[in-house]
Amino acid sequence: MRFEVNGEPLEAEPRAGQCLRTLLRESGHHEVKKGCDAGDCGACSVILDGVPVHSCIIPAVRVEGASVTTAAALADGDDLHPVQESLVEHFGFQCGFCTPGVAVTASTLTADDLPDLDRRMKGNLCRCTGYRPIRDAIEASVLGPVRETGGAAAEPVEGRVGQSVRPEPSRRIVQGLEPYTFDTDVSDALVLRVVGSPHAHARIVAIDTTAASAVPGVIAVFTHENATARRFSTARHEHREDDPDDTRILDDVMRFVGQRVAAVVAETAEAADAACRLVAVQYDLLEAVFDPEEARRPGAPVLHPDRTVEDRVAEASRNVLATLHDGIGGDVDTALASSAVTVSGTWRTSRVSHAQLETHGAIGRMDAEGRLVIRSSTQVPFLVRDELARLFELPRQRIRVHAARVGGGFGGKQEMFAEDLVALAVLRTGRPVAYEFTRADEFRRASVRHPFRVAVTLGATAEGVLTAIKLDVLSDTGAYGNHGIGVMFHGCAESINVYRCPVKRVDAEVVYTNNVPSGAFRGYGLGQVILGVESALDMLAERLGIDPFDLRRRNAVREGDPLLTVHDEHDEDLVWGSYGLDQCLDLAQDALGRGNGVDAPDGWLVGEGMALSFIAAMAPGGHHAHTSATLRTDGTIALAVGTAEFGNGTSTVMRQIGATVLEASAERIVLRGADTDLVPYDTGAFASAGVTGAGKALTAACRQLKTRMLDTARRVTGADAAQLAPGGVQAGGRLVPYADLVRAAAPAHRTVDGIVGTGSEHGDERSLSFNVHAVRVAVDPETGTVRVLQSVQSADAGFVMNPAQCRGQIEGGAAQGLGSALYEEVLVDETGAVANPAFRLYRVPQFADVPITEVLLADTHDSVGPFGAKSMSESPYNPVAAAVGNAIARAVGGRPYHQPFTRERVWRLLQERGAQAAPVAAAASALP
Ligand code: FES
């Protein structure tokens, strides 16, 4: 078969059933990304004979004689296509995995298409940005600039901190030329495929791999009988003891539908798939339990009967992974009984999929020195390396784990879902092995956000001063306890730490069930508990007739307050590095009061709502980063960090730090990261630690390098003073060039590469960030449809290192918050199977769904973070659902208690309230 790709002829013989995307990628066109396999996400978009299509649903045989254009060929020579140029200009991406597909589709649009833009871009999902910068970019490219972009495009770019510096790989990203995990040649790698359990709870009585092993091309079949039996947790933390050892690479007990039964490695995907179908398994079915309330009752089936507190499982016989029963200030019931007013309620949250567009996966091989090398889509390469070393009893130095640019993570890649199997297969076969999740695997075999049941009771004086907070929390960790303990503790901490209150009580348990495992997800439990706490605060505001912003002002912690939690041994780490909550409350309230001119449809009910959140930077108990900065003889500065870039923007901030401290132009900065061979250690890119951890360490490294450069110049010239200058260091009336500096540097400060500065950070102090979200919503009284008319988020990020990127993080977090507030929900059927394991069944916010969130930044300067910066990665998500729930409650006169607040749930609420006939009264919609 012959067809044309980007103007070049391509000869190929498609395999039976092969799609165009796979054929293109196997032909080296890695600019065509894989995000799903069903034509839903658009990451694989190409232009086929002039029409944008999803290449994953085009049979390859059908393109004979056709012409295909990919994102790599939209450009005209060195000039990008106008829409690609515009995406670069407008910061139209974060992880960038969706971007080549977005560019392809958008390149076919003209000004006539703009009124229909939502529909035309509907097939290109972006999980990171919230779409606003993509919309701006498209509109600007076909019309010229139509909206302000927050100063991002207009600001002169010198590469310094505080400026909206564009990511260095921007031009490669918009063309699809920046490599992600699987954008590399894997033609020599065996394909790994997994057999999933059809049962939620069963013991394997017998497993026969004879037929599977006999399939031509099959190299090995792994089961619990021949895999390493050592237990571990897929969750990765600085302290591996933070998670229970309850997981095996391949187990003989199935605890959720989709759990690994066996793994096949074969020469081809077809052989591996055929072999998977031939693995014969005899199960002894066990009773399953899916409700966490039932799971902890006496007589419930026990998932991990043999685990003990030694494995960090609190009460295995009750399926209880961990408990928190603690308080401050005396008996909470007594305090509530003596309070002038009390409010209470019970809220429920649902499973949410990370839905990052790049699925999990890893490629492993042995290198020439006999080391195991794993290229992985991970946020935590060092933690993966260390656990692989433990599992396979190898010295750490015999393993290298590295990541290319990661196509989104949101916490989902703070897990080891693929690397263990790949390592097993590589070590056993000695051959390269690749294991890439499908989108269905993501829903069935990766993790979801922990569903919580949160009961809150608040007591207050008649003036609205809190007297007691009582929290009763139940978290469903699913079949395994990865992140279950940390999510529960974290969720119950900052959500009530933020309020001054003399009496606080928390009773919380996290429970095993036969559901798909839960895991780390942006916010790490805070969003769930904040829904309950902030909704209860809103009830209190309504009851007392107090403006909800004022109620928060009356009760929220102020700078210097003791952070009265229930129990957290790491709280001494928390430091008031700065305080901007007061500004955030003012900014959000003012913006909501101003409105945005968007009206509700006639007859719809309107309500306003707000909520606040705060979060501590980094995980407690240490978060380590080692970095280096090296001046080379040619004047370039090589920065080395361990942290990964997955759309969090830290790689750009790292370059800005280097350019600022070393007064260097952006072209002189070269950054490498996410490689265990590069720096001594890095805990990883999670817990909002990128800038405050690795960034702080790199600041120290660059400062040390600068000092060493100046010292060297002074010693060479005999001068008392020296300063950085173009081309070298100015001292004693002359310029000491870079090459001379490197040669003259003290031996202890020099490597073969140049003069080196090193810096490390250990997370000994953690500062606090604040967010306030406010919305105005309209509710259709006939259908329960909720439309967000106005969305505002104010944030206290300290000194903002890169305003455009920070705005993008907040917009993206808000968009994820709105999705999980209104419709995102991983559904589980009565057998425990995920019922909607595809994007067309699980609704990720599309282009038309996400309102613009107005972003407002407090003016603060933090004493802990580098240059005064604070964290702003996870936290924008946390207050959104509570704000939306509060707005719905005020619109319909009844409070929603089950997130997401879907059309059906809100409709039922309307029925209960009899609100359909209520007139739309503008006065009734205004706070309080
Ligand atoms: Fe769109 Fe990450 S930038 S999915």
Side-chain angles (χ1 to χ4, degrees), residues 184-264:
T184 185
D185 183 8
V186 289
S187 57
D188 64 342
L190 300 173
V191 177
L192 190 152
R193 291 281 210 262
V194 165
V195 178
S197 170
H199 305 297
H201 202 186
R203 181 176 298 280
I204 296 175
V205 183
I207 186 163
D208 185 348
T209 61
T210 311
S213 301
V215 172
V218 168
I219 304 301
V221 181
F222 298 105
T223 70
H224 68 276
E225 292 174 344
N226 60 358
T228 307
R230 190 175 284 230
R231 291 182 194 277
F232 66 108
S233 173
T234 59
R236 305 293 354 117
H237 280 111
E238 170 61 27
H239 306 286
R240 67 175 309 284
E241 298 78 17
D242 287 353
D243 299 283
D245 283 333
D246 60 5
T247 303
R248 289 168 59 184
I249 295 176
L250 291 159
D251 209 329
D252 61 338
V253 177
M254 300 296 108
R255 298 181 176 89
F256 69 97
V257 175
Q259 180 175 330
R260 300 166 176 177
V261 174
V264 174

Side-chain angles (χ1 to χ4, degrees), residues 91-99 102 124-131 134 173 180 355-358 405-410 646-647:
F91 291 78
F93 60 85
Q94 286 173 23
C95 80
F97 197 81
C98 70
T99 311
V102 166
N124 288 88
L125 299 180
C126 175
R127 189 54 158 169
C128 300
T129 64
Y131 297 104
I134 298 175
I173 284 171
Y180 294 78
Q356 79 289 337
L357 281 203
E358 184 198 40
R405 191 177 179 90
V406 177
F410 315 116
F646 57 104

Side-chain angles (χ1 to χ4, degrees), residues 211-367:
S213 301
V215 172
V218 168
I219 304 301
V221 181
F222 298 105
T223 70
H224 68 276
E225 292 174 344
N226 60 358
T228 307
R230 190 175 284 230
R231 291 182 194 277
F232 66 108
S233 173
T234 59
R236 305 293 354 117
H237 280 111
E238 170 61 27
H239 306 286
R240 67 175 309 284
E241 298 78 17
D242 287 353
D243 299 283
D245 283 333
D246 60 5
T247 303
R248 289 168 59 184
I249 295 176
L250 291 159
D251 209 329
D252 61 338
V253 177
M254 300 296 108
R255 298 181 176 89
F256 69 97
V257 175
Q259 180 175 330
R260 300 166 176 177
V261 174
V264 174
V265 286
E267 300 283 0
T268 64
E270 291 74 18
D273 288 336
C276 283
R277 289 190 288 273
L278 294 174
V279 174
V281 189
Q282 189 182 336
Y283 295 99
D284 178 12
L285 298 188
L286 304 172
E287 186 186 354
V289 59
F290 303 112
D291 182 331
E293 292 280 14
E294 288 177 19
R296 61 178 175 176
R297 284 190 192 127
V302 177
L303 271 76
H304 297 274
D306 300 328
R307 303 280 64 79
T308 69
V309 289
E310 304 288 309
D311 305 302
R312 278 90 63 199
V313 176
E315 296 177 58
S317 62
R318 276 206 313 131
N319 290 315
V320 172
L321 169 62
T323 65
L324 170 61
H325 301 287
D326 212 339
I328 57 165
D331 182 66
V332 72
D333 292 323
T334 305
L336 286 168
S338 59
S339 297
V341 58
T342 61
V343 294
S344 63
T346 300
W347 286 262
R348 286 183 166 75
T349 68
S350 299
R351 291 176 186 81
V352 181
S353 173
H354 300 77
Q356 79 289 337
L357 281 203
E358 184 198 40
T359 59
H360 288 79
I363 305 159
R365 61 185 72 239
M366 304 301 291
D367 72 7

Side-chain angles (χ1 to χ4, degrees), residues 462-526:
E463 293 73 36
V465 177
L466 286 172
T467 51
I469 298 176
K470 183 179 183 181
L471 212 54
D472 183 353
V473 170
L474 178 60
S475 166
D476 179 357
T477 193
Y480 292 94
N482 42 308
H483 292 285
I485 302 170
V487 164
M488 181 195 70
F489 276 93
H490 188 246
C492 294
E494 283 110 301
S495 53
I496 57 171
N497 264 350
V498 73
Y499 290 111
R500 297 167 143 185
C501 183
V503 182
K504 296 179 183 176
R505 173 76 197 178
V506 174
D507 291 285
E509 292 193 335
V510 53
V511 173
Y512 287 114
T513 63
N514 292 108
N515 292 310
V516 61
S518 307
F521 202 153
R522 193 175 203 164
Y524 214 60
L526 275 177

